[in-house]
Every structure is written in C-alpha cells, then in structure tokens.
Amino acid sequence: MIPRSGDPAQADPAATGEETDRTTGAAARGGRLRAFFAKLRGSARTPAPAPGADADIPPHIQLIQAQGGVSRRLVSGYTVPVLTTLIIVAVLAVQIFMLWQARQDAWTRAVAEGNGILQSVGDTVEKNFTIVEQNLTRAQMAIESGDKDGARPRDLILFDRAIPADLLNVMLVISRKGDVLVESGGLAPSPVNLADRDYFRAHMLQNPGTFLSAPFRSRYRSGDPTLAMSRRISAPDGSFNGVVMAGIRLAYLRSLLDLVRVGPNSSVALISHGGKILARSPALGTDGNFGADLRDGGILHRMMASGQPFVDEGLIGGPERLFVYRQIGPLPVILSVGLATADIYAEWNRQALIFGTLTLGFCIALALLVRGLQRGLIRSTEMEEMLKNMALTDVLTGLPNRRSFDERLDTEMRRMAREARSMALLLVDVDGLQAVNEAYGVVTGDRLLRMLGRQIQRSVGRPGDVAARFGGEEFAVLLPDTDLKGAKYIADRIRSDVENSSMALETGERICCTVSIGIVTAWPTGRERPTHFVRMAEEALEEAKAAGRNRVSWRDCSGDPAPMGPDAGTPETPAPHAF
C-alpha cells in the first residue's frame, strides 16, 4: 500500500520512486502542525489490520460493530451478572443483619422477662423470709430476757399470726440437749429429740446468726418437705442454751413459683448455696424436686460468682436454657429463672424461616428476571445493530450507503479542521453501465456493480478510508489525512484495477468496464459545508468524463483542474469488452 501524507506504512518497492515524488506539496505546508497533532495522538494513522483480521468488512460496519460491541459487552459480559450478584448479596446482607438484630432483640426481651420474674417472685420470697427471721429474732430475745413461763408461748403465738398460715408448718424452742421445749400454738411438745439436725448442730459451737438448714422431711408434719430457719439461744454467760427454730414449708414456696408463667421447657427454682434444690416449677415429681442435687456444680459456681446471665443445660438436665438469677437477701438462697432457648427463639425461628424463604425466593426470581432481561437486551441490541447496519448499508454492494457516507464526510471534515490536516474526496463513475444493462440485463449489471464495489474497497486499503455507494452507478471514496498526490495515486490505482479486472458470465464470456474519477482535495477550516466539497468533486468528475472517460481529473481548492489518464502517460491495458 502506498502511503499518503501522515501515513506511516511502508511503500511497495515497485512504486517507491513514484511515492517519493508525493512526499512534498501539502505535507510540506502543514508539516509542523501535523507533527504536533501526531505527537498529541501518539500516532498519525490507524495501523493496518493484522493478517487474518476482518479486512473485508466495510469500515462503517466495523464502526457500528465497535459501538454496538460496547453495549453488547455491557449487557452480555460480566457487568450485569456482577451487578446482580452485588444486589443479591446486599439484599441477603440486609436480611441477615435484620434477622441477627431480631435474634438479639429476642435475647434482650428474654433477659428482661427473666429479670421481671426475679423481681416479683424474689421480692415476695425475700419478704416472707424476712418476716420469719424478724419473728425468730423477737422470740429469741424474749427467751433470753428471762420470760420463762408466759412470754415464750405468747411470742410464739404472735409469731404464728404474723405470717401466712401456709408458710410455716411448725415453730419450736429446743433445749441445749435437743429436746423440744415449746411448740408453736401452745401445743404440748412432742417427745422428739432434734440434736441430730444441722440447724441444731450449727449453733452448738458458735453463733452463726440466722441459720438456714438443708431441706428435709419434717418429723412433726408427716414428712412434709421443710426448710428450717434457726437462731441460737445463749445463756447469761454466753454459753449455748438451745435453739429457736421455724419450719418453712417448701410446698408454699413452690406455690409461689407456680404462679409464674414460663415456656413449656423453662423453669423457676430456689437453690441453696449447698447445691440443693429447695423448690422448682414446673416440678418433675410430686415434691417439687426438693433436696435434689444440681446436675453440675459449675452452674452454682457461676451463679455465685458472676451475676451475669448465661446459657447452660438445665439444673437437673434437660434442654439448653438461659439462666438469670438473684440472691434472696443475705440468706444463702438463689432464685433462678431458666428460660429455654428453644422457647426464646421459637418466634424468631418462625420469622427467620418465613422471611428467609421469601428473601431466597426474591433473589432467585431477581436472578431469573435479570437473566431473562439480559437475554432480551442482547437480542434487542443485536436487532438494533442489524437494523442500523441495514439503514447505513447499500443492499446491493454491501458498502456504506449515501446516508452513511454523508455522516462520515461531515465528521471527517470537522476532525480534519481541528487537526489542521488535508483530506480528499473521490467520486467514481462506472463508464458504460447502461450499455451492460441493455446488452446483458440488469441482473448482470448489478453483479458488475457488486464486483466493482469490492474492487474499489480493496484498492483503498487503509482502515480509516471510506468507500461508499454514492448512488446509481457512482461510488465515493473518502480519504482523510491525504493530500493531492496521495489522492491521485489512489484514484489511478482504482482506475487501473477496475480496467484490468473482468467478470465471467454463465456463457463463459467475460466483460469488463472502466471508471472515470473526480478528485477534490482541501484543508477544511470548519466553515465549509460538505455539499460544497461534494459539488467540487462532481465538477472534477464531469471534466474527466468530458475528457473521454477512463480518466482521473482533480481539483485542489487553490489550483486549476488537470486531467490524468491513459493519454497523459498512464498505461492503459486493453480489455475484451471496454465501455
């Protein structure tokens, strides 16, 4: 391919001498400007296509495909799947966060519910224990003060009336040997020795104040589960002189716990510091699990040490529970509320299943919808490109049509004006096409036009040049960044290639034709109208046809027309049939 002004391609060795003569003229006048703009662009011309590239595709189709390729890549590439994935991930992340927040809220509500139970039940239990302790203290002081005959029974009776009737099963004054001296209500004491009980032995060697025993079955009330609260009676010299004891019915404490409504797998319990269960609701037996040992001593240790809610298995086994708890005053008793985590999260699990299913279904539907839309957009984009190709392509020759050529001409004139470069326009007219149509038919004439279109496209060569069907039997060639010498070379090559080509008919006969070419070159300034440029090319074409056809005539914006053809030194090869 022969380089024109600004073309970095190497010349064909056979035409080196002719091309050397074409490096002056317009290129010399705009050399500095062209060098400046070439430096800005990094390259003055588009490189030639690599071997095996789509060189036979018309440039306007390549441009449409390049423009449509961007949209197609956006639609059919990774952009839409990635964006859809990000949207789905965002939706899932929001849903997961909301579910996590709802789970935290369920936990917070459970802790608040447990603390509410502790507050109400714990205050009631502590109040009852406090009343018992106050009356014990008053009875102890009355006995120690010396009221040996009337005060003690009277105090015991007053004590018995001050507390709920179901709370106590007995109150006793026990001698230093363990014998019962006085029984509540003024009844005759039973001949029972209680020296073996822990609430008696605890006061023999020291004065622990108020002592709370381990749970036991009362000998006075036919094995009724009982918890003893006792205080030491001291002689005037401080020695041990007996014990005053109140028997608290654990059935009454369990009735208080039964008033609490918790889940089917939850529980409320009173626990001693010794690791014994005093009362539990719901009870696993008829006695409220009194006296049962804790399943794991670690649970009691955590309750006595941290004071913070924790999750563990049940006190005596069972499902996992959330434990909240409190100390009952100064007494070695802990009130524990164990809320089953299954009950805490039952509503959350239901909501998580519903909303999780809905969210998953939404994400799947969104993915399928986007996939369907993506396929529809791909088909729409392809159809749009096809319609655009059809709108800008000549159906007969496959070259750009007049509309496409006009748009490209306007674009290139503005670009050349910005870059201060020259451009050329060639109008090619087929000589004698009417004679071919009359002699061989219109179909043969159309075949000839198709062949000429392909020949002209091959003769142009550069990717930036445009060969188009101008109308009827005329073609147009737009040569951006080309001066007069380069345009004359291309025009003569087109004329020569067409003259030396022929088309075989079905009868074996071969026909050929010639073309007349008009050239116009200019340095666009941005103020010219494309129609003026075309009109000058048409004038040059008419001059070539008037000079005998099979000619090239040119017109520079500042020069005079001059013919170039076979009679002007260009060799002409005879053909079997020339028109």
Side-chain angles (χ1 to χ4, degrees), residues 26-27 29-31 33-34 420-423 521-525 528 556-557:
R29 287 179 289 166
L33 284 175
R34 289 196 298 275
R421 292 176 177 270
S422 64
M423 64 181 296
T521 59
W523 290 72
T525 62
E528 302 90 352
D556 198 333
C557 285

Side-chain angles (χ1 to χ4, degrees), residues 41-226:
R41 294 196 314 274
S43 175
R45 299 293 293 171
T46 304
D54 296 333
D56 294 334
I57 300 178
H60 78 293
I61 301 299
Q62 297 180 16
L63 179 60
I64 294 174
Q65 291 176 348
Q67 293 173 346
V70 176
S71 302
R72 191 163 51 248
R73 284 193 297 272
L74 289 176
V75 173
S76 62
Y78 293 104
T79 303
V80 172
V82 168
L83 290 178
T84 305
T85 302
L86 290 177
I87 293 174
I88 291 176
V89 169
V91 171
L92 291 177
V94 171
Q95 186 62 51
I96 290 173
F97 173 77
M98 293 177 63
L99 290 176
W100 175 83
Q101 189 66 45
R103 187 179 179 89
Q104 294 298 109
D105 292 343
W107 175 273
T108 302
R109 288 194 300 270
V111 173
E113 178 186 358
N115 287 330
I117 295 173
L118 292 178
Q119 183 69 29
S120 60
V121 177
D123 289 349
T124 302
V125 173
E126 184 175 353
K127 177 182 177 181
N128 287 324
F129 278 146
T130 300
I131 292 174
V132 173
E133 184 181 17
Q134 289 174 349
N135 283 272
L136 272 179
T137 302
R138 189 162 50 247
Q140 172 205 358
M141 294 175 62
I143 295 172
E144 290 180 345
S145 66
D147 189 356
K148 301 181 181 296
D149 296 325
R152 285 178 295 174
R154 185 170 58 251
D155 287 339
L156 294 177
I157 292 171
L158 291 174
F159 177 88
D160 198 29
R161 290 174 180 174
I163 61 176
D166 294 336
L167 177 60
L168 292 180
N169 61 12
V170 69
M171 180 176 179
L172 304 173
V173 177
I174 305 172
S175 69
R176 63 175 174 268
K177 292 182 180 180
D179 297 326
V180 178
L181 299 178
V182 179
E183 184 177 337
S184 60
L187 300 176
S190 300
V192 177
N193 187 280
L194 303 175
D196 60 328
R197 295 294 193 184
D198 59 346
Y199 56 81
F200 181 85
R201 294 196 309 269
H203 295 287
M204 293 180 63
L205 301 179
Q206 58 181 352
N207 186 0
T210 301
F211 179 80
L212 201 65
S213 72
F216 60 91
R217 293 188 178 275
S218 174
R219 298 171 186 173
Y220 269 85
R221 294 293 183 265
S222 304
D224 187 26
T226 304

Side-chain angles (χ1 to χ4, degrees), residues 315-392:
L315 300 176
I316 54 177
E320 184 181 71
R321 293 184 173 93
L322 165 65
F323 287 99
V324 291
Y325 45 91
R326 62 168 286 188
Q327 184 81 20
I328 301 298
L331 300 176
V333 177
I334 295 175
L335 175 62
S336 166
V337 178
L339 301 175
T341 55
D343 296 340
I344 294 173
Y345 296 125
E347 180 63 19
W348 180 87
N349 290 334
R350 187 183 69 84
Q351 293 182 359
L353 179 61
I354 294 175
F355 289 111
T357 303
L358 291 177
T359 302
L360 183 61
F362 169 78
C363 292
I364 294 175
L366 177 62
L368 294 177
L369 176 63
V370 170
R371 181 56 179 166
L373 291 176
Q374 183 184 21
R375 290 179 177 177
L377 287 174
I378 291 174
R379 289 193 294 268
S380 176
T381 302
E382 292 174 349
M383 182 64 67
E384 182 181 353
E385 291 179 15
M386 183 181 69
L387 294 176
K388 194 171 183 179
N389 292 344
M390 293 173 61
L392 299 178

